[in-house]
Amino acid sequence: MSTVDVAETKDTIQVRSHVQYITKEHISPDNVHPSPLEQFHIWFNEARNGAVREPDAMCLSTATASGVPSSRMVLFKQLDKHGFVFYTNYTSRKSKDLDENPNAALLFFWQEMSRQVRILGRAEKVSKEESEEYFQSRPMGSQLGALASKQSTVIGENDLQERLDKLKKLYQVGEGSKEGKAPLPNFWGGWRVIPSEMEFWLGKPSRLHDRVRYTRVEGSADEEPEWTIERLSP
């Protein structure tokens, strides 16, 4: 049952109250890790080992060259020393946006822990070798799904199933089978978002939240970037 109290009329929904965030933890520039990527490791593992149902779900926001924004939920797949990786169709709307405008934003919201992590950065495609390795690690159904879907295009009611059936026949995949191997499509692969700014948010009562922002020092080395760490007003 939702705890949100609303006033509703024929034409409007007005939210009048919301659950209060009550957390015992406290974050500040004095007690976070000097590296935002290491701080993310800490929080992600706590979310993964805690009560968070989908710690790997993140909102990806992109924009066209003219600045028209678009957001959607995607799955976080890897964090390395450079940034955050997700995989998708390279002909999708998100990929077309990133081809035109590499600036991107990511947002993790772990409601069960009253935590958010916000990431701003520049996106670049991962190597074909990285995409190949990840693609072949996926279940066969997901491999075929990537081959069958012309992501973000208009589709008829039965078109997708027809494409999928043809692919199952082509690769001799039985119903419910998890075995098999399909080739990496040339239109599919990974993106890596290299952060220039990261913010860690911890929910507190009366909307007086803890917010700690890392800003990358301009000109610092890619291998070991330097960060300015500041507390933000809630």
Side-chain angles (χ1 to χ4, degrees), residues 196-198 213-218 226-230:
S196 56
E197 179 182 320
M198 290 181 61
R213 179 181 65 188
Y214 294 75
T215 306
R216 182 168 173 168
V217 176
E218 190 172 352
E226 298 175 24
W227 301 89
T228 299
I229 308 175
E230 300 166 304

Side-chain angles (χ1 to χ4, degrees), residues 73-142:
M73 300 302 294
V74 299
L75 292 178
F76 160 63
K77 287 300 177 183
Q78 178 179 309
L79 173 63
D80 55 32
K81 62 182 179 179
H82 298 295
F84 297 79
V85 176
F86 66 93
Y87 290 88
T88 189
N89 189 308
Y90 283 149
T91 67
S92 65
R93 179 172 178 172
K94 66 179 84 66
S95 289
K96 290 178 179 178
D97 281 358
L98 293 173
D99 283 333
E100 293 181 10
N101 180 354
N103 295 304
L106 304 174
L107 176 66
F108 291 84
F109 178 46
W110 298 319
Q111 179 181 9
E112 297 89 341
M113 301 181 74
S114 301
R115 292 179 177 182
Q116 295 184 58
V117 181
R118 185 177 63 87
I119 299 138
L120 298 179
R122 184 187 77 256
E124 63 181 26
K125 289 178 179 176
V126 307
S127 68
K128 185 175 181 180
E129 291 74 19
E130 288 175 274
S131 294
E132 178 78 48
E133 181 179 0
Y134 173 68
F135 186 80
Q136 296 304 335
S137 75
R138 304 179 89 203
M140 188 58 181
S142 297

Side-chain angles (χ1 to χ4, degrees), residues 18 26 36 67 91 98-99 108 128 133 136 143 147 155 159 178 223:
H18 187 69
H26 169 67
T91 67
L98 293 173
D99 283 333
F108 291 84
K128 185 175 181 180
E133 181 179 0
Q136 296 304 335
Q143 292 183 24
L147 283 162
I155 191 172
D159 291 355
K178 297 181 180 180
E223 294 301 315

Side-chain angles (χ1 to χ4, degrees), residues 45-84:
N45 282 330
E46 289 176 354
R48 184 173 61 85
N49 294 322
V52 178
R53 184 170 179 268
E54 288 188 287
D56 54 339
M58 64 183 184
C59 179
L60 165 68
S61 296
T62 58
T64 63
S66 60
V68 178
S70 182
S71 297
R72 74 289 287 162
M73 300 302 294
V74 299
L75 292 178
F76 160 63
K77 287 300 177 183
Q78 178 179 309
L79 173 63
D80 55 32
K81 62 182 179 179
H82 298 295
F84 297 79

